[in-house]
Amino acid sequence: MNALADSIARLNLSNGATLSFHHHLRNGDDVMRQVLAACDTLGLRDLHIAPSSLFPCHASLIPYLQNGTITRITTSYMTGPLADAVRAGALPHPVHLQTHGGRACAIASGRLPLDAAFIAAPAVDAAGNLSGATGPEACGPLGYAMVDAAHAGRVVALTDHTADRLPRICIPAKQVHNIIHVPRIGEAAQIASGTTGRAPSETGLIIADLTARLIAASGLLQNGFTFQTGAGATSLAVARALAPLMAADNIKGDFAAGGITGALVDMFQSGLFQRLWDVQAFDLAAVQSYAQDADHLAMSADQYANPERPDNIANQLDVMILGAAEVDMDFNVNVTCASDGRIIGGSGGHADTGAGATLPIVTTPLVAGGFAKLVKTLTCLTTPGATIGALVTEAGIAIHPSRPDLAQAARAAGLPVKDINDLRRLAKAHASKAPPPRTTGRIIAHCEAPDGTVIDHICA
């Protein structure tokens, strides 16, 4: 038995236990593989894993689905070979796809009890405090792990670095029961991967410019402005397009929030925002800023988006920039499945911030991969359209009918306001592929709203 398995054996976990993990190393995580390999060695079976997200690197877990070590998954986002295996029916029980805020609420309320939380800790100090701000695999704030550490029956940190001094403490020693030293927790260089690692296209830059102009026209862009972008390349380009507009009018925002990127760090360090609220770092520039900038503040997923907290940060946002895989004519949004039915993500904070922000704006090109992105029927519902304020494409802007004042302001600013049905017809005319019909086989995933209500299913 190896040292890690020996340490886990002393936790006295039982078959059927629920184990949580965080995703702050994103596609560079190696802690989940190490822990579940040890659980397999110990003969543990029927485990329920509750990671905050799953990435292509977690293809290494597929053998543990196949041999019964893992039989249940609850997460907020999944993509890559493991997601493909789930869609193919590799699990005997449906996955529960939560929102980030919904996950935090379920853990804090006891609806998702955790027998053990395994935390990839880039650094620990002699007292047993945990930090993501330093170490060879520094990843930034441990916002998702903070909730787990506060509520799990046992909290186990895996680390590859001990520091004499931590520039930031994410999880205090009093919440940590065990610390296990391993050769490496993962590869922080892989944090900026997937959607966060792509440069915006020419179309994306057009959309970003229109979006920044819409924000300016909305009346929300004034001193005290609060803002968040999603992880997609176009969403991040909006931040870069908005910065010169704020600077030109001497606007100083209150905060930018969310998964923090280099673009938001640049705005903060240029004086456009007073502070950053950060639940996770989306790139290494954000990691470095968190270690160095006093007003770059960590927040737990609970503070970020727990729907049972009226003071959560999502509810304080003026503008939220969201991506989309599909949008229907009622402004409902899918970011969970591709048009061909593959699982390519999940809500993450999409539905949380859609519900919380004053003006949630969806940005998307008309067509991607040959498929129209404006559709009659979604492949999967992630975020209800009633919460969305506007949709921005390269061909124009559709304003939700509940926002006539925004539509009037956009037209007055000379923006190309279009009917969403006209944009759909244009998208359909440029599409080269027709989406297959929704599958109707065995349910392999339940998609949840922030409050835990099931709003859609994914079938094999």
Side-chain angles (χ1 to χ4, degrees), residues 121-138 159-169 179 181:
V124 303
D125 64 13
N129 298 301
L130 312 184
S131 178
T134 190
E137 309 304 338
T159 190
D160 54 15
H161 181 71
T162 301
D164 293 331
R165 176 186 170 276
L166 300 177
R168 294 290 183 91
I169 293 174
I179 295 174
H181 292 269

mmCIF file of all heavy atoms in Angstrom, residues 121-138 159-169 179 181:
data_model
loop_
_atom_site.group_PDB
_atom_site.id
_atom_site.type_symbol
_atom_site.label_atom_id
_atom_site.label_comp_id
_atom_site.label_asym_id
_atom_site.label_seq_id
_atom_site.Cartn_x
_atom_site.Cartn_y
_atom_site.Cartn_z
ATOM 1 N N ALA A 121 -3.676 21.683 -2.449
ATOM 2 C CA ALA A 121 -3.184 22.895 -1.791
ATOM 3 C C ALA A 121 -1.813 23.249 -2.350
ATOM 4 O O ALA A 121 -0.831 22.551 -2.056
ATOM 5 C CB ALA A 121 -3.103 22.688 -0.280
ATOM 6 N N PRO A 122 -1.704 24.309 -3.136
ATOM 7 C CA PRO A 122 -0.397 24.680 -3.683
ATOM 8 C C PRO A 122 0.659 24.994 -2.632
ATOM 9 O O PRO A 122 1.845 24.846 -2.891
ATOM 10 C CB PRO A 122 -0.721 25.917 -4.532
ATOM 11 C CG PRO A 122 -2.139 25.682 -4.976
ATOM 12 C CD PRO A 122 -2.800 25.075 -3.771
ATOM 13 N N ALA A 123 0.202 25.406 -1.442
ATOM 14 C CA ALA A 123 1.169 25.668 -0.368
ATOM 15 C C ALA A 123 0.490 25.505 0.983
ATOM 16 O O ALA A 123 -0.691 25.817 1.148
ATOM 17 C CB ALA A 123 1.749 27.076 -0.496
ATOM 18 N N VAL A 124 1.266 25.008 1.950
ATOM 19 C CA VAL A 124 0.835 24.961 3.344
ATOM 20 C C VAL A 124 1.955 25.540 4.195
ATOM 21 O O VAL A 124 3.126 25.546 3.792
ATOM 22 C CB VAL A 124 0.521 23.516 3.812
ATOM 23 C CG1 VAL A 124 -0.545 22.888 2.931
ATOM 24 C CG2 VAL A 124 1.782 22.652 3.815
ATOM 25 N N ASP A 125 1.594 26.056 5.374
ATOM 26 C CA ASP A 125 2.634 26.509 6.287
ATOM 27 C C ASP A 125 2.743 25.548 7.465
ATOM 28 O O ASP A 125 2.015 24.543 7.533
ATOM 29 C CB ASP A 125 2.398 27.955 6.735
ATOM 30 C CG ASP A 125 1.124 28.146 7.552
ATOM 31 O OD1 ASP A 125 0.523 27.133 7.999
ATOM 32 O OD2 ASP A 125 0.727 29.318 7.750
ATOM 33 N N ALA A 126 3.650 25.851 8.384
ATOM 34 C CA ALA A 126 3.909 24.936 9.501
ATOM 35 C C ALA A 126 2.685 24.764 10.386
ATOM 36 O O ALA A 126 2.521 23.725 11.039
ATOM 37 C CB ALA A 126 5.092 25.449 10.318
ATOM 38 N N ALA A 127 1.808 25.772 10.404
ATOM 39 C CA ALA A 127 0.611 25.687 11.238
ATOM 40 C C ALA A 127 -0.496 24.873 10.588
ATOM 41 O O ALA A 127 -1.474 24.520 11.247
ATOM 42 C CB ALA A 127 0.105 27.093 11.542
ATOM 43 N N GLY A 128 -0.363 24.600 9.286
ATOM 44 C CA GLY A 128 -1.379 23.832 8.576
ATOM 45 C C GLY A 128 -2.382 24.666 7.804
ATOM 46 O O GLY A 128 -3.395 24.148 7.332
ATOM 47 N N ASN A 129 -2.112 25.967 7.657
ATOM 48 C CA ASN A 129 -2.953 26.807 6.817
ATOM 49 C C ASN A 129 -2.709 26.491 5.347
ATOM 50 O O ASN A 129 -1.588 26.121 4.960
ATOM 51 C CB ASN A 129 -2.653 28.287 7.074
ATOM 52 C CG ASN A 129 -2.941 28.696 8.495
ATOM 53 O OD1 ASN A 129 -4.071 28.570 8.972
ATOM 54 N ND2 ASN A 129 -1.918 29.178 9.194
ATOM 55 N N LEU A 130 -3.726 26.666 4.515
ATOM 56 C CA LEU A 130 -3.631 26.360 3.087
ATOM 57 C C LEU A 130 -3.736 27.632 2.265
ATOM 58 O O LEU A 130 -4.518 28.531 2.583
ATOM 59 C CB LEU A 130 -4.754 25.412 2.660
ATOM 60 C CG LEU A 130 -5.023 24.169 3.510
ATOM 61 C CD1 LEU A 130 -6.124 23.318 2.844
ATOM 62 C CD2 LEU A 130 -3.767 23.353 3.714
ATOM 63 N N SER A 131 -2.976 27.681 1.163
ATOM 64 C CA SER A 131 -3.011 28.841 0.278
ATOM 65 C C SER A 131 -2.854 28.421 -1.170
ATOM 66 O O SER A 131 -2.145 27.468 -1.481
ATOM 67 C CB SER A 131 -1.885 29.821 0.634
ATOM 68 O OG SER A 131 -1.884 30.932 -0.239
ATOM 69 N N GLY A 132 -3.523 29.177 -2.056
ATOM 70 C CA GLY A 132 -3.316 29.007 -3.490
ATOM 71 C C GLY A 132 -2.460 30.107 -4.075
ATOM 72 O O GLY A 132 -2.267 30.171 -5.286
ATOM 73 N N ALA A 133 -1.939 30.995 -3.219
ATOM 74 C CA ALA A 133 -1.239 32.188 -3.698
ATOM 75 C C ALA A 133 0.237 31.964 -3.987
ATOM 76 O O ALA A 133 0.860 32.798 -4.642
ATOM 77 C CB ALA A 133 -1.389 33.319 -2.678
ATOM 78 N N THR A 134 0.803 30.873 -3.508
ATOM 79 C CA THR A 134 2.225 30.648 -3.691
ATOM 80 C C THR A 134 2.487 29.158 -3.881
ATOM 81 O O THR A 134 1.583 28.336 -3.781
ATOM 82 C CB THR A 134 3.017 31.197 -2.478
ATOM 83 O OG1 THR A 134 4.411 31.179 -2.765
ATOM 84 C CG2 THR A 134 2.738 30.391 -1.215
ATOM 85 N N GLY A 135 3.738 28.832 -4.200
ATOM 86 C CA GLY A 135 4.107 27.451 -4.472
ATOM 87 C C GLY A 135 4.331 27.236 -5.951
ATOM 88 O O GLY A 135 3.890 28.039 -6.788
ATOM 89 N N PRO A 136 5.007 26.158 -6.310
ATOM 90 C CA PRO A 136 5.292 25.899 -7.736
ATOM 91 C C PRO A 136 4.034 25.725 -8.579
ATOM 92 O O PRO A 136 4.063 25.947 -9.787
ATOM 93 C CB PRO A 136 6.133 24.622 -7.708
ATOM 94 C CG PRO A 136 5.914 24.022 -6.361
ATOM 95 C CD PRO A 136 5.622 25.144 -5.436
ATOM 96 N N GLU A 137 2.924 25.320 -7.973
ATOM 97 C CA GLU A 137 1.668 25.163 -8.717
ATOM 98 C C GLU A 137 0.599 26.113 -8.169
ATOM 99 O O GLU A 137 -0.582 25.775 -8.074
ATOM 100 C CB GLU A 137 1.184 23.711 -8.661
ATOM 101 C CG GLU A 137 2.208 22.671 -9.053
ATOM 102 C CD GLU A 137 2.818 22.882 -10.447
ATOM 103 O OE1 GLU A 137 2.175 23.559 -11.276
ATOM 104 O OE2 GLU A 137 3.932 22.383 -10.691
ATOM 105 N N ALA A 138 0.994 27.344 -7.830
ATOM 106 C CA ALA A 138 0.045 28.342 -7.334
ATOM 107 C C ALA A 138 -1.096 28.521 -8.334
ATOM 108 O O ALA A 138 -0.872 28.631 -9.540
ATOM 109 C CB ALA A 138 0.755 29.669 -7.101
ATOM 110 N N THR A 159 -0.542 18.373 -0.806
ATOM 111 C CA THR A 159 0.330 19.485 -1.158
ATOM 112 C C THR A 159 1.684 18.990 -1.623
ATOM 113 O O THR A 159 2.117 17.891 -1.259
ATOM 114 C CB THR A 159 0.500 20.457 0.024
ATOM 115 O OG1 THR A 159 1.173 21.636 -0.422
ATOM 116 C CG2 THR A 159 1.301 19.814 1.156
ATOM 117 N N ASP A 160 2.348 19.831 -2.430
ATOM 118 C CA ASP A 160 3.715 19.542 -2.848
ATOM 119 C C ASP A 160 4.669 20.662 -2.451
ATOM 120 O O ASP A 160 5.784 20.745 -2.940
ATOM 121 C CB ASP A 160 3.791 19.294 -4.365
ATOM 122 C CG ASP A 160 3.180 20.422 -5.186
ATOM 123 O OD1 ASP A 160 2.951 21.518 -4.633
ATOM 124 O OD2 ASP A 160 2.921 20.205 -6.385
ATOM 125 N N HIS A 161 4.194 21.550 -1.522
ATOM 126 C CA HIS A 161 5.042 22.685 -1.154
ATOM 127 C C HIS A 161 4.714 23.169 0.253
ATOM 128 O O HIS A 161 3.547 23.410 0.580
ATOM 129 C CB HIS A 161 4.837 23.838 -2.144
ATOM 130 C CG HIS A 161 5.686 25.039 -1.863
ATOM 131 N ND1 HIS A 161 7.046 25.054 -2.065
ATOM 132 C CD2 HIS A 161 5.364 26.277 -1.390
ATOM 133 C CE1 HIS A 161 7.520 26.249 -1.752
ATOM 134 N NE2 HIS A 161 6.530 27.000 -1.335
ATOM 135 N N THR A 162 5.750 23.305 1.062
ATOM 136 C CA THR A 162 5.627 23.901 2.389
ATOM 137 C C THR A 162 6.337 25.246 2.385
ATOM 138 O O THR A 162 7.485 25.345 1.945
ATOM 139 C CB THR A 162 6.229 22.996 3.467
ATOM 140 O OG1 THR A 162 5.557 21.725 3.436
ATOM 141 C CG2 THR A 162 6.082 23.608 4.847
ATOM 142 N N ALA A 163 5.648 26.274 2.853
ATOM 143 C CA ALA A 163 6.203 27.629 2.847
ATOM 144 C C ALA A 163 6.374 28.129 4.281
ATOM 145 O O ALA A 163 5.571 27.806 5.165
ATOM 146 C CB ALA A 163 5.283 28.565 2.080
ATOM 147 N N ASP A 164 7.417 28.926 4.486
ATOM 148 C CA ASP A 164 7.606 29.544 5.802
ATOM 149 C C ASP A 164 6.532 30.595 6.058
ATOM 150 O O ASP A 164 6.091 30.784 7.193
ATOM 151 C CB ASP A 164 8.991 30.191 5.889
ATOM 152 C CG ASP A 164 10.120 29.162 5.849
ATOM 153 O OD1 ASP A 164 9.884 28.019 6.305
ATOM 154 O OD2 ASP A 164 11.204 29.497 5.356
ATOM 155 N N ARG A 165 6.133 31.274 4.985
ATOM 156 C CA ARG A 165 5.127 32.330 5.106
ATOM 157 C C ARG A 165 4.193 32.280 3.911
ATOM 158 O O ARG A 165 4.629 32.088 2.780
ATOM 159 C CB ARG A 165 5.811 33.702 5.157
ATOM 160 C CG ARG A 165 4.850 34.871 5.194
ATOM 161 C CD ARG A 165 5.579 36.203 5.086
ATOM 162 N NE ARG A 165 4.632 37.293 4.882
ATOM 163 C CZ ARG A 165 4.135 37.650 3.703
ATOM 164 N NH1 ARG A 165 4.507 36.993 2.610
ATOM 165 N NH2 ARG A 165 3.280 38.660 3.608
ATOM 166 N N LEU A 166 2.903 32.428 4.172
ATOM 167 C CA LEU A 166 1.907 32.436 3.101
ATOM 168 C C LEU A 166 1.436 33.870 2.861
ATOM 169 O O LEU A 166 1.001 34.539 3.806
ATOM 170 C CB LEU A 166 0.696 31.573 3.478
ATOM 171 C CG LEU A 166 0.977 30.096 3.741
ATOM 172 C CD1 LEU A 166 -0.308 29.391 4.171
ATOM 173 C CD2 LEU A 166 1.565 29.413 2.516
ATOM 174 N N PRO A 167 1.505 34.373 1.618
ATOM 175 C CA PRO A 167 1.025 35.731 1.353
ATOM 176 C C PRO A 167 -0.479 35.870 1.546
ATOM 177 O O PRO A 167 -0.966 36.950 1.854
ATOM 178 C CB PRO A 167 1.426 35.967 -0.111
ATOM 179 C CG PRO A 167 1.581 34.609 -0.703
ATOM 180 C CD PRO A 167 2.061 33.729 0.410
ATOM 181 N N ARG A 168 -1.204 34.799 1.353
ATOM 182 C CA ARG A 168 -2.649 34.761 1.591
ATOM 183 C C ARG A 168 -3.003 33.403 2.181
ATOM 184 O O ARG A 168 -2.466 32.376 1.752
ATOM 185 C CB ARG A 168 -3.417 34.929 0.272
ATOM 186 C CG ARG A 168 -3.254 36.291 -0.413
ATOM 187 C CD ARG A 168 -3.956 37.390 0.386
ATOM 188 N NE ARG A 168 -3.876 38.675 -0.266
ATOM 189 C CZ ARG A 168 -4.789 39.127 -1.130
ATOM 190 N NH1 ARG A 168 -5.815 38.386 -1.480
ATOM 191 N NH2 ARG A 168 -4.662 40.330 -1.647
ATOM 192 N N ILE A 169 -3.920 33.393 3.130
ATOM 193 C CA ILE A 169 -4.456 32.142 3.655
ATOM 194 C C ILE A 169 -5.868 31.973 3.102
ATOM 195 O O ILE A 169 -6.738 32.821 3.307
ATOM 196 C CB ILE A 169 -4.471 32.131 5.192
ATOM 197 C CG1 ILE A 169 -3.034 32.128 5.730
ATOM 198 C CG2 ILE A 169 -5.250 30.913 5.717
ATOM 199 C CD1 ILE A 169 -2.942 32.270 7.235
ATOM 200 N N ILE A 179 -2.919 16.539 6.423
ATOM 201 C CA ILE A 179 -2.128 17.068 5.308
ATOM 202 C C ILE A 179 -1.253 15.934 4.783
ATOM 203 O O ILE A 179 -0.533 15.281 5.550
ATOM 204 C CB ILE A 179 -1.255 18.257 5.739
ATOM 205 C CG1 ILE A 179 -2.143 19.444 6.157
ATOM 206 C CG2 ILE A 179 -0.318 18.686 4.603
ATOM 207 C CD1 ILE A 179 -1.382 20.612 6.734
ATOM 208 N N HIS A 181 1.607 14.942 1.927
ATOM 209 C CA HIS A 181 2.594 15.458 0.980
ATOM 210 C C HIS A 181 2.725 14.481 -0.185
ATOM 211 O O HIS A 181 2.898 13.271 0.006
ATOM 212 C CB HIS A 181 3.938 15.673 1.678
ATOM 213 C CG HIS A 181 3.892 16.786 2.679
ATOM 214 N ND1 HIS A 181 4.206 18.089 2.361
ATOM 215 C CD2 HIS A 181 3.543 16.790 3.992
ATOM 216 C CE1 HIS A 181 4.062 18.857 3.441
ATOM 217 N NE2 HIS A 181 3.649 18.089 4.440
#
